[in-house]
Amino acid sequence: MTAPLAPPASPTETAETASTYRLTQLESLESEAIHIIREVVAEFERPVLLFSGGKDSVVMLHLATKAFWPAPVPFPLLHVDTGHNFPEVLAYRDATVERLGARLEVASVQDYLDDGRLLERADGTRNPLQTQPLLDAITGHKFDAVFGGGRRDEEKARAKERVISLRDEFGQWDPRNQRPELWNLYNGRHRPGEHVRAFPLSNWTELDIWRYIAAEKIDLPSLYYAHEREVFERDGMLLAVGPYSQPRNDAEAANVRTETVRYRTVGDMSCTGAVESTSYTVDDVITEVAATRITERGATRADDRISEAAMEDRKKEGYF
């Protein structure tokens, strides 16, 4: 005797069941990112996560902790320190590493300047000098997969990236050599000496990042929220007055003033601009970002304004 078949579900029951299991947009993005992180850890021997204390790397690290909870994050963190970082960000970086019990590797640009392997740039910025310390750290520690917080909405060169992006034996990226990624299948095959960059946040936008920060109640460095800071204007950006960012001429010096500003992205003090803002809370920032029509890199990063292809040129050399 076979058991009688259950009566078919009514259309109402089917709709209710489907709605119960439907993910929100943020939940879908979170699920995809955690899947990518777990796939990389399963497929590669020595992954590492780039962690600067910026909002994207903070969210990426948060996702990694959720991916392996209650176990600790099973790979180290790597920060390429230019020596011109905001002190608030460095303090946040160190506090986060201590809280999570993570292992932090620091590649110092200053060390390369001190021993002559690199030379200071004429414009005083150090962001473009990060490439060689990064590549040397990858080679020295034999990292075969490097998690980066790049998002496709940030900049046109980053929009070309696959989720898993191959780098050759020189750490260089070829935008014409991109592997297809169909049905969320990621090809991590690489030859000895090569490595890949993995971008779990590829499909996120700046607004998604901030909505996720609000939903998960993630702490950030204080400079992401409105505060008073002494600034001056250069090339349409507000640069902070500090030890690594000073007015270059009388016109800039005469323009020094105290404004209520916040930062949309984090980089060198000498090349990262602030925006006038009264967004003191996460909800305020979400409202502000939803209304903007220019990406954070396009609005506040001088190193991306060197040329039309500035980011792509640096990526071809091995940059993030």
Side-chain angles (χ1 to χ4, degrees):
M1 296 290 290
T2 58
L5 296 176
S10 68
T12 303
E13 291 174 342
T14 303
E16 289 177 353
T17 302
S19 63
T20 301
Y21 293 101
R22 185 175 296 123
L23 298 179
T24 66
Q25 180 195 14
L26 280 184
E27 288 170 339
S28 296
L29 289 171
E30 179 190 65
S31 178
E32 177 189 56
I34 288 177
H35 166 68
I36 292 167
I37 292 170
R38 288 174 174 168
E39 282 291 299
V40 170
V41 170
E43 192 169 345
F44 293 85
E45 295 183 3
R46 297 179 67 85
V48 67
L49 185 145
L50 294 175
F51 184 69
S52 65
K55 66 183 188 306
D56 298 314
S57 67
V58 169
V59 167
M60 189 168 56
L61 179 57
H62 181 83
L63 290 164
T65 61
K66 295 188 76 171
F68 302 104
W69 184 263
V73 175
F75 43 75
L77 314 181
L78 173 63
H79 181 211
V80 183
D81 186 356
T82 66
H84 286 181
N85 298 101
F86 290 91
E88 301 97 321
V89 176
L90 292 180
Y92 176 91
R93 178 202 70 182
D94 294 340
T96 300
V97 169
E98 183 177 0
R99 174 173 59 84
L100 296 177
R103 177 163 66 92
L104 175 68
E105 301 288 347
V106 177
S108 172
V109 172
Q110 187 63 54
D111 290 345
Y112 280 67
L113 294 170
D114 291 343
D115 61 21
R117 284 177 288 175
L118 288 174
L119 298 176
E120 288 278 13
R121 291 168 52 88
D123 59 9
T125 63
R126 288 188 177 180
N127 261 26
L129 300 181
Q130 296 178 88
T131 301
Q132 193 58 51
L134 170 64
L135 295 179
D136 288 349
I138 292 171
T139 302
H141 292 283
K142 298 182 180 179
F143 296 132
D144 54 359
V146 182
F147 289 107
R151 309 186 324 267
R152 289 180 178 138
D153 76 317
E154 287 182 277
E155 201 270 342
K156 57 189 176 183
R158 286 187 170 175
K160 298 179 181 180
E161 284 278 20
R162 296 291 194 262
V163 172
I164 301 296
S165 182
L166 181 68
R167 296 299 194 271
D168 65 19
E169 61 272 26
F170 302 105
Q172 297 177 337
W173 173 67
D174 183 357
R176 296 168 298 181
N177 183 23
Q178 296 285 293
R179 296 167 169 176
E181 293 180 337
L182 306 175
W183 306 293
N184 292 334
L185 298 176
Y186 305 112
N187 182 359
R189 294 184 65 182
H190 61 286
R191 292 174 294 187
E194 297 177 339
H195 71 277
V196 305
R197 307 287 172 90
F199 301 101
L201 306 181
S202 289
N203 294 324
W204 297 53
T205 66
E206 183 184 9
L207 185 58
D208 293 329
I209 292 290
W210 279 104
R211 290 176 58 221
Y212 189 74
I213 288 167
E216 296 288 304
K217 298 180 173 57
I218 301 174
D219 290 329
L220 290 178
S222 59
L223 51 70
Y224 276 109
Y225 303 102
H227 59 284
E228 287 193 348
R229 191 178 288 261
E230 197 174 30
V231 297
F232 61 94
E233 190 168 340
R234 178 186 297 160
D235 297 331
M237 296 191 307
L238 294 176
L239 298 178
V241 177
Y244 314 116
S245 180
Q246 293 287 332
R248 294 176 180 171
N249 51 51
D250 292 341
E252 290 183 354
N255 191 245
V256 173
R257 61 193 185 275
T258 299
E259 294 280 0
T260 301
V261 299
R262 76 174 193 89
Y263 287 84
R264 291 177 64 186
T265 183
V266 168
D268 270 10
M269 293 183 68
S270 56
C271 70
T272 306
V275 294
E276 294 184 36
S277 175
T278 55
S279 297
Y280 293 95
T281 67
V282 175
D283 291 336
D284 292 341
V285 173
I286 290 173
T287 302
E288 179 185 302
V289 171
T292 190
R293 291 296 176 267
I294 186 169
T295 67
E296 65 266 46
R297 294 196 72 93
T300 64
R301 292 297 288 269
D303 51 334
D304 288 347
R305 300 185 181 187
I306 297 172
S307 72
E308 284 292 322
M311 172 64 80
E312 183 160 331
D313 290 341
R314 281 180 290 157
K315 286 171 68 64
K316 288 179 180 178
E317 296 171 356
Y319 186 68
F320 301 157

